[in-house]
Amino acid sequence: MSTDGFSEQERAAMKARAEELRKEAAGGRGRKAATDELDVLSKIAEMEAADRAVAERVHAVVTANAPELAPKLWYGQPAYARKGKVVCFFRSGHTDKERYSTFGFTPEANLDDGGLWATSFAVTGLDDTSEAALAALVKKAVS
């Protein structure tokens, strides 16, 4: 790890985020929503097979359980926003050069539970139990 500045991966994420902001500034509301979802689906389609399978399931769970969240790219990865603010997101482990992908929540999510709660989860696959847990968390995040 270099201490001389940002890594190539960090620079790529910042460049992706800058492009996302340019698109947001240029697009109209209705057209923008459709374009944002296509961008998310395209990003998922580009993922390595194992991450793609998980990201597709995550996308299906989030959109089914929180239809008020709008898909969009956030730092070049799939995310879901309410009123333009990201509530939850998926990070590809392969893209991030990690051994697992993550699904996380921002402070916009309503997950506060006492003095300690999880904001990010490692994801290597989704079975019925983990899909149900993810669905419950997403519902809670938007409640």
Side-chain angles (χ1 to χ4, degrees):
M1 175 178 272
S2 173
T3 58
D4 297 329
F6 294 110
S7 70
E8 182 179 325
Q9 181 181 350
E10 290 167 326
R11 284 191 299 277
M14 288 185 289
K15 185 176 179 182
R17 182 65 181 139
E19 180 60 27
E20 293 159 13
L21 292 171
R22 277 191 288 282
K23 281 184 180 181
E24 286 179 19
R29 194 156 181 73
R31 188 181 122 242
K32 182 184 159 328
T35 300
D36 284 349
E37 183 155 18
L38 285 174
D39 288 346
V40 166
L41 294 173
S42 293
K43 182 56 73 173
I44 291 171
E46 294 171 4
M47 291 179 183
E48 180 267 330
D51 284 352
R52 182 174 55 248
V54 173
E56 287 171 346
R57 289 304 312 140
V58 165
H59 182 75
V61 169
V62 173
T63 56
N65 289 281
E68 63 270 36
L69 294 181
K72 66 182 280 179
L73 291 178
W74 191 51
Y75 295 98
Q77 295 287 323
Y80 304 87
R82 176 179 44 220
K83 297 179 182 174
K85 295 188 178 192
V86 171
V87 173
C88 54
F89 56 90
F90 178 82
R91 301 279 317 163
S92 163
H94 185 262
T95 299
D96 287 345
K97 296 182 173 101
E98 299 289 342
R99 65 185 179 91
Y100 54 82
S101 296
T102 56
F103 184 79
F105 296 91
T106 69
E108 296 298 319
N110 296 318
L111 296 179
D112 304 39
D113 187 18
L116 177 71
W117 61 90
T119 61
S120 185
F121 299 86
V123 185
T124 58
L126 291 174
D127 59 17
D128 291 343
T129 303
S130 55
E131 272 192 33
L134 178 61
L137 284 167
V138 169
K139 287 177 185 176
K140 183 176 181 181
V142 296
S143 64

